[in-house]
Amino acid sequence: MTRVEEAPGRTRRRVSFGLVVLVVVALLFGVPWWLLVVGGQAWSGWVVAGGTVVFLAGAVAMPWGLVLGHGRGWDGGAKVGDTLLGAAWIVFTCAVIGALVEVGLAVAGMADPLRSRVVAVGTVGVAVIALVHAYYEAMRVPRVRATEVPLERLGPGLDGLRVVVLADTHFGPIDRTQWSRRTMAAVAALKPDILVHAGDIADGPVERRRAQSEHMGPLKAEYAKVYVTGNHEYYSGAPSWVEHMAELGWTHLHNTHTVIERDGDRLIVAGVDDRTARHAGIDGHGEDLAAALLGADPDLPVFLVAHQPKQVADAVAHGVDLQVSGHTHGGQIWPFHLLVRLDQPHLQGLAKTGGRTWIYTSRGAGFWGPPFRLLAPSEITVLTLRSAVNTSA
């Protein structure tokens, strides 16, 4: 295909993308504007004008901030765009709920402008509470979430093995150096036998995120300190992050495995690249579980680290006993989890699939983009592995 033939295709894609963005922005800001400002409240002219300016400014600033931040690499733009995106989503959600409440009040006989004013004031109050709570949840040190996982093939010598899992730290444009220090101190206090980072370490190049990520260096584990690359590593210069993580003492499970042994029993700890790696254009990168398990004893239990839950299909096919993933953030901002479930088979927590294969999906320690977490709290995961012998007992 010639360049002349390619150009119309690129133009059509850009126009289509622009139209989608325009529709999304119009909905995110237009629905709350109508419900709060001009939808029957009969506010004074000054209130209508002021509210309209606020929503219009947000509708312009958000996409420009996202373009400058994530398209041009300007952290200041990302902070503005991401924050406005999260705030707009929460206010939009509250406005939709408010609209349903208003229908109920109308059926009950409450007339305008009182009805619309009551709904507007109530919606603003709920939105403010939700925003404050969601920001607090995003910025706090993650809670420790402990789960026991029975593995049929795990030998009794490994019963009680403690695996501490970090995922989706997403060190990014908002400087969370102190958050990182406190979070890693919480991880260190758990004294892990195996320490895992399930990918999406950061957003942005190493030189910009070094201060935030360096607190992962002093962390220790009794047997292994391992990680896999997530999709965001491939947006942020994966080779440099691989090099930086090696400097911090982390072992990259790059389609490979290691063997843990305790009291005569062994466990295979394997890891694969993210499923998007093959399209990143980096030589040697691409999900390959067969390569990761090459040379492994087929009778030993397998603990697999794979960034995305949907990679579990391959894990089941290879007889993996337990897969640990992240990526979903538990939806991060309710009700976005409904869209996540369209893409991923598991949202959060422990589930069994395909016979003996367990999957644990972490909600993640950090956040991507908007500094908000609503009804999807962050976590540091502690998985205690239990052998079939001790579980039966």
Side-chain angles (χ1 to χ4, degrees):
M1 182 179 291
T2 67
R3 291 186 179 181
V4 174
E5 293 172 322
E6 287 177 356
R10 287 200 302 270
T11 300
R12 284 194 296 270
R13 286 193 295 271
R14 289 175 180 174
V15 170
S16 298
F17 179 75
L19 289 174
V20 170
V21 170
L22 183 62
V23 170
V24 169
V25 171
L27 288 173
L28 284 179
F29 290 91
V31 171
W33 171 72
W34 180 265
L35 188 84
L36 302 179
V37 180
V38 295
Q41 300 85 0
W43 301 122
S44 69
W46 287 107
V47 173
V48 172
T52 300
V53 168
V54 168
F55 280 104
L56 185 60
V60 172
M62 186 193 79
W64 273 110
L66 293 174
V67 168
L68 293 174
H70 298 288
R72 305 287 179 85
W74 179 40
D75 282 353
K79 292 176 187 178
V80 172
D82 290 342
T83 302
L84 285 173
L85 175 62
W89 174 261
I90 292 173
V91 174
F92 169 81
T93 301
C94 292
V96 170
I97 296 172
L100 297 176
V101 171
E102 184 162 6
V103 170
L105 292 177
V107 171
M110 182 180 288
D112 268 341
L114 178 61
R115 181 181 72 241
S116 293
R117 289 188 174 188
V118 167
V119 170
V121 172
T123 299
V124 170
V126 171
V128 169
I129 292 171
L131 285 165
V132 171
H133 172 73
Y135 181 80
Y136 168 77
E137 284 293 327
M139 293 300 187
R140 64 163 291 148
V141 172
R143 297 172 179 86
V144 175
R145 189 181 189 191
T147 303
E148 292 194 349
V149 187
L151 300 182
E152 297 174 9
R153 300 195 297 170
L154 190 72
L158 291 168
D159 182 74
L161 194 76
R162 286 165 56 84
V163 181
V164 175
V165 182
L166 279 170
D168 303 287
T169 44
H170 282 286
F171 301 122
I174 296 175
D175 187 357
R176 287 180 292 138
T177 302
Q178 294 307 310
W179 174 89
S180 176
R181 180 183 59 79
R182 294 193 300 270
T183 297
M184 300 314 151
V187 171
L190 295 170
K191 300 186 182 304
D193 293 317
I194 300 174
L195 179 57
V196 171
H197 196 302
D200 279 5
I201 300 160
D203 294 298
V206 170
E207 56 267 23
R208 291 190 189 178
R209 312 298 180 229
R210 189 178 300 274
Q212 296 180 60
S213 61
E214 66 181 5
H215 296 290
M216 294 193 297
L219 295 177
K220 305 294 182 184
E222 183 70 22
Y223 298 103
K225 177 179 165 182
V226 299
Y227 78 101
V228 296
T229 46
N231 56 309
H232 281 253
E233 273 71 79
Y234 293 99
Y235 308 149
S236 305
S240 62
W241 276 105
V242 169
E243 181 180 343
H244 182 55
M245 291 295 281
E247 294 171 355
L248 296 177
W250 289 76
T251 298
H252 183 199
L253 292 178
H254 175 38
N255 296 326
T256 189
H257 72 271
T258 186
V259 179
I260 304 302
E261 183 171 356
R262 188 175 76 178
D263 296 338
D265 287 308
R266 293 180 294 164
L267 172 69
I268 295 170
V269 179
V272 291
D273 296 342
D274 184 68
R275 62 190 307 273
T276 63
R278 198 170 301 280
H279 306 292
I282 302 173
D283 289 343
H285 284 251
E287 176 188 11
D288 192 341
L289 183 51
L293 297 177
L294 188 65
D297 187 337
D299 294 325
L300 294 181
V302 178
F303 173 89
L304 174 68
V305 188
H307 180 60
Q308 297 195 39
K310 64 172 54 176
Q311 293 175 273
V312 76
D314 203 20
V316 170
H318 284 83
V320 167
D321 298 80
L322 170 62
Q323 175 177 315
V324 168
S325 298
H327 187 67
T328 69
H329 302 194
Q332 186 166 320
I333 306 176
W334 185 89
F336 196 75
H337 69 286
L338 298 174
L339 298 179
V340 176
R341 285 303 303 267
L342 296 176
D343 180 57
Q344 297 291 335
H346 301 282
L347 183 69
Q348 58 90 25
L350 184 67
K352 199 169 190 180
T353 181
R356 76 173 179 222
T357 302
W358 290 94
I359 179 171
Y360 186 91
T361 306
S362 169
R363 292 187 299 245
F367 57 85
W368 173 85
F372 302 105
R373 273 185 170 268
L374 185 61
L375 301 182
S378 57
E379 67 176 81
I380 298 167
T381 311
V382 179
L383 300 179
T384 302
L385 307 189
R386 293 296 182 189
S387 72
V389 174
N390 288 0
T391 300
S392 299

